[in-house]
Amino acid sequence: MRFDEAAYGSFVISLLTPSLNTGPAAGDRYLRVEGVIASSGDDVVYGDNAANWIYGREGNDTLYGYGGKDHLIGEAGADRFLFDTRPTAANVDTIEDFVSGQDSIGLARFFFGGADDGAGGMRFVAGAGAKAATAAATVLYDTSTHLLAYDANGKAGGGIVPIAYVDVVAASDLFFI
């Protein structure tokens, strides 16, 4: 599904929930659509439960993969990649073009809130083979595999679930939604 060939303003497109669609996508239902190329506006794009390829194009876009092993490509602009579904090995996304310090990653407090540091941020550890430093839930970024993950059990072990593959991410790029 392409929306980049006309001068559309900002709009919402959802492959999963048609009632959210606005602008040129208003009233549309999408079945077996695996890819979306958004417009040059500040678009919001929701995937579905399949493996999707979602391109934000220009603008400050907000991209949700949902289920499936999605590829999220923000392209130009300060893009937001939001994760508000239960993390499992079956829905580990790949963020193709993340720019640390410009783009950001939002994690749903409902699923990742255990990593709240109580000071407005989240517990975050980055490094090769990153591991939680305490027994508290922690967001991990393994710099050798480029995997962003959530460890619900901290040092207790056994609670790590993958979130997404991303080339580089810093604690300042992450926020709760």
Side-chain angles (χ1 to χ4, degrees), residues 60-78:
N60 301 323
D61 302 303
T62 301
L63 308 180
Y64 295 81
Y66 282 143
K69 294 186 177 188
D70 305 303
H71 290 265
L72 307 174
I73 303 106
E75 296 190 344

Side-chain angles (χ1 to χ4, degrees), residues 123-127 129-141 151-157 160:
R123 280 180 292 285
F124 177 79
V125 175
K131 295 184 188 305
T134 69
T138 305
V139 175
L140 307 172
Y141 179 65
D151 186 348
N153 299 332
K155 288 174 68 172
I160 298 175

Side-chain angles (χ1 to χ4, degrees), residues 12-79:
V12 176
I13 179 171
S14 174
L15 298 180
L16 188 63
T17 311
S19 63
L20 296 177
N21 295 338
T22 65
D28 292 349
R29 285 187 161 305
Y30 302 103
L31 299 173
R32 294 188 280 285
V33 171
E34 303 304 325
V36 174
I37 301 173
S39 76
S40 60
D42 298 339
D43 304 315
V44 178
V45 183
Y46 298 86
D48 60 17
N49 292 320
N52 303 127
W53 285 79
I54 300 175
Y55 295 83
R57 303 296 294 181
E58 298 169 7
N60 301 323
D61 302 303
T62 301
L63 308 180
Y64 295 81
Y66 282 143
K69 294 186 177 188
D70 305 303
H71 290 265
L72 307 174
I73 303 106
E75 296 190 344
D79 301 308

